[in-house]
Amino acid sequence: MDEALLEAFRSTTYHVCLDTVRWAIIRVDLPLPAPLAAVVGAQAWAFITAWNPQARRRPPAENEAAQRELLAALSQQVGVHVCPAIGVGTSGWSEPSLFVTGVDVEALDRLTRSHGQLAYVHGEAGGHATLRVLG
């Protein structure tokens, strides 16, 4: 991944829908905001998407189908909680996403790789948001 794309991931604002009116914002290298930390509790968490694999735009219908597949794969796992989310870049782009708790890093790596993603944001309870770049 080139430096410009890496910086784009790092500078993105990751929004998580907590309920019908409240949103929390995640920033790479910062701790989760208190309302979101309360949702996470002691679990690992991740901010993932199936949109635009390899950071290349594709038609919305293809992105929506891939996102449904990702959500279906997550819903088959026991103890997983999913919240709607959206990543918003500094250049104005945005991608519908998912905020997930209860999935280990190995499973997240497999899921995100299977959807062609280059990276995702994750963390452990009480820790900072980390950009996990997939090799």
Side-chain angles (χ1 to χ4, degrees), residues 16 26 32 36 40 45-47 81-85 97-101:
V16 179
I26 299 171
L32 291 178
L36 193 52
V40 169
W45 60 268
F47 191 102
H81 178 74
V82 179
C83 295
S97 302
L98 304 169
F99 181 81
V100 182
T101 60

Side-chain angles (χ1 to χ4, degrees), residues 25-125:
I25 293 174
I26 299 171
R27 294 273 193 182
V28 172
D29 297 330
L30 295 177
L32 291 178
L36 193 52
V39 170
V40 169
Q43 300 181 77
W45 60 268
F47 191 102
I48 60 176
T49 189
W51 278 62
N52 300 321
Q54 302 299 308
R56 294 187 184 111
R57 292 193 188 275
R58 69 174 171 186
E62 289 179 33
N63 282 325
E64 291 165 2
Q67 193 80 339
R68 283 191 300 273
E69 289 174 14
L70 176 59
L71 187 55
L74 289 166
S75 67
Q76 293 176 6
Q77 299 188 32
V78 176
V80 173
H81 178 74
V82 179
C83 295
I86 188 165
V88 180
T90 58
S91 66
W93 68 266
S94 63
E95 289 182 344
S97 302
L98 304 169
F99 181 81
V100 182
T101 60
V103 183
D104 64 49
V105 172
E106 292 79 22
L108 288 164
D109 285 356
R110 280 191 305 277
L111 279 170
T112 53
R113 279 191 180 110
S114 72
H115 287 282
Q117 299 303 304
L118 299 173
Y120 65 93
V121 177
H122 79 101
E124 301 290 328

